[in-house]
Amino acid sequence: MARQYSRKASAKVGRAMKKRKAGTLRSGGSGRKVKSRKQAIAIGLSEARREGRKVPAKKSARASAKKTAKKASKKSTKKTTKKTTKKKSKKS
């Protein structure tokens, strides 16, 4: 079975975890110290993504891709029916 994450990606996550333990890992937006283990993993994965490593897409990106694919399949299978209008004849 193929690896889901590349070795370099898991190394990035490991580095982020070590920084979190040491208390030197900071979040990108606010610059606050990261305390959460999940947030440290997310930071490591996003760094790996930026470098172009083999990392699966984010959950939110996968969900939105699934939705757009579902919509596209619905459109292709949906039959277009035209309504025929009867012309009224004028009585003189």
Side-chain angles (χ1 to χ4, degrees):
M1 192 171 163
R3 285 179 67 95
Q4 201 172 14
Y5 298 91
S6 67
R7 293 183 201 282
K8 287 283 187 175
S10 50
K12 276 277 182 196
V13 171
R15 217 170 286 128
M17 293 298 281
K18 279 186 180 179
K19 278 186 170 184
R20 181 190 69 94
K21 279 289 245 186
T24 58
L25 185 63
R26 305 273 173 180
S27 69
S30 61
R32 288 184 178 166
K33 192 187 294 186
V34 172
K35 295 175 185 172
S36 167
R37 179 181 56 86
K38 285 184 178 181
Q39 195 176 1
I41 292 168
I43 289 169
L45 289 176
S46 66
E47 285 175 4
R49 267 189 205 99
R50 251 184 270 136
E51 288 181 4
R53 304 290 178 204
K54 183 185 171 188
V55 181
K58 290 181 183 179
K59 253 186 189 177
S60 59
R62 263 186 277 151
S64 65
K66 220 182 238 187
K67 280 182 185 177
T68 54
K70 203 173 190 179
K71 278 185 182 179
S73 69
K74 271 189 179 180
K75 280 185 180 179
S76 64
T77 57
K78 203 176 200 182
K79 292 179 183 175
T80 55
T81 55
K82 287 186 178 179
K83 291 182 182 178
T84 55
T85 57
K86 293 181 182 178
K87 292 184 181 178
K88 293 182 183 179
S89 59
K90 289 185 181 179
K91 292 183 182 179
S92 334

